[in-house]
Amino acid sequence: QVQLVESGGGLVQAGGSLRLSCIGSGRLFSINTMGWYRQAPGKQRELVAASTSTGSKNYADSVKGRFTISRDNAKNTVYLQMNNLKPEDTAVYYCYAAGTTTAWRQPFEAWGQGTQVTVSS
C-alpha cells in the first residue's frame, strides 16, 4: 500500500559528497517518521538519520556534522545530504517511513529497496 523509492547512490572518492532521495507513494495519509538506515557487508542494519513530522532529527554519532537529513512533506520526500564521505560509509542505504494510510488510518511501516553507496579511499 505504501512504496518508497530511493535514488542518488553511487561511487565516490573519500571526501566527496552524495545526496540520496526517497519518495513515498501509495495510500499515504500521513508520514510521521522518515529516515535512513544502512547496512554494510557482514554488519547489522543501523540507523543513520531520522526526521519526524514535528521537525526533530537525530543522527548516528558516526555521521554527525557530515550528514544532513531534510524533508519535503508536501512531496512525501526525504533527503540525505552526505558530505566528507569516508570508506566506512560504504553500505546499502535504505529509506524508512512510518505513518498512517488512507485506509481507516491504519499504521504502516515501509522500507525502500536500498541504494548502494561506495566510498573509495
Side-chain angles (χ1 to χ4, degrees):
Q1 292 187 339
V2 175
Q3 298 82 39
L4 302 176
V5 177
E6 304 109 331
S7 61
L11 172 64
V12 65
Q13 287 188 331
S17 298
L18 284 174
R19 188 190 193 212
L20 305 183
S21 301
C22 172
I23 301 175
S25 64
R27 305 179 72 176
L28 291 166
F29 177 75
S30 66
I31 303 178
N32 180 26
T33 301
M34 294 192 85
W36 295 91
Y37 286 72
R38 67 186 180 188
Q39 187 166 19
K43 295 188 177 181
Q44 289 188 332
R45 190 173 296 189
E46 63 175 359
L47 174 69
V48 177
S51 173
T52 69
S53 58
T54 58
S56 67
K57 302 176 182 180
N58 63 292
Y59 296 91
D61 288 342
S62 59
V63 307
K64 285 180 180 177
R66 300 188 298 121
F67 292 10
T68 302
I69 189 170
S70 60
R71 287 173 64 166
D72 184 336
N73 292 324
K75 297 181 179 179
N76 295 324
T77 300
V78 64
Y79 306 96
L80 186 68
Q81 178 66 43
M82 305 184 292
N83 297 329
N84 190 21
L85 282 159
K86 303 176 180 180
E88 51 263 42
D89 294 318
T90 295
V92 178
Y93 284 69
Y94 296 91
C95 180
Y96 167 84
T100 55
T101 70
T102 56
W104 304 285
R105 308 296 188 261
Q106 290 297 304
F108 77 87
E109 288 188 312
W111 291 90
Q113 297 266 7
T115 184
Q116 177 70 46
V117 171
T118 303
V119 184
S120 62
S121 57

